Amino acid sequence: GIIVLVLTGVLGYKVVARHRAEAQRVRIQLEHGIQREDRRSQLEASQRLVESYRKRLAPEEEAVWLVRESGRLAREAEIQLSAVNPKRLRQVGGFSQLAVSLHFQTSYHQLGQFLSRIESAEHLLYVDELDFTLVRKPDGSPVAEVKLVVSALYLPPVTR
């Protein structure tokens, strides 16, 4: 009777120990799974954030896009561009920087409207240079002779 009781106790202890070890292993796997899921969720959130920023960058790497966009914004501000000169593409970090030089004559009010449109454009545009001088038209009214360099950043798609 005692031998059976001792054997039952020893075997029962081994079964319980094995179940405890299995439960510990499952608990560790669950914790690792939860950590992996947390990292996956964080990565997905980061990717969504990057994509929201990417939408604000230039949609093309070609300067022709920036020429069109600058022209559209100038027309909205009722500015007639007298010269539009794309500048050489530059690499800045992992970005490509598009730039265009614009020349025009305008009133201070229209210049303010144009700068406001650049600032609030759908895509992030930057005024890199702004030079202007006051000149007088033949009728004596003042007008600003403006040279403006506008730029935008393009981020190439991520390749995997």
Side-chain angles (χ1 to χ4, degrees), residues 43-127:
L43 179 61
E44 289 170 357
S46 295
Q47 287 172 331
R48 284 191 301 274
L49 184 62
V50 165
E51 282 308 309
S52 73
Y53 286 127
R54 183 183 291 279
K55 288 177 184 176
R56 299 280 328 268
L57 298 176
E60 302 174 21
E61 191 174 27
E62 301 299 320
V64 97
W65 171 83
L66 187 55
V67 167
R68 282 193 316 266
E69 184 67 6
S70 299
R72 182 183 68 78
L73 296 171
R75 283 188 302 279
E76 286 179 5
E78 299 179 4
I79 290 175
Q80 185 172 356
L81 301 174
S82 57
V84 178
N85 300 307
K87 297 178 90 69
R88 192 171 54 83
L89 188 70
R90 290 183 38 215
Q91 296 303 314
V92 180
F95 296 89
S96 297
Q97 183 183 28
L98 315 159
V100 62
S101 175
L102 309 172
H103 297 264
F104 54 93
Q105 286 188 345
T106 190
S107 70
Y108 287 117
H109 176 72
Q110 287 171 310
L111 177 59
Q113 286 182 340
F114 185 46
L115 294 174
S116 178
R117 281 178 165 69
I118 289 172
E119 182 180 329
S120 62
E122 175 184 355
H123 298 283
L124 296 173
L125 302 177
Y126 304 92
V127 174

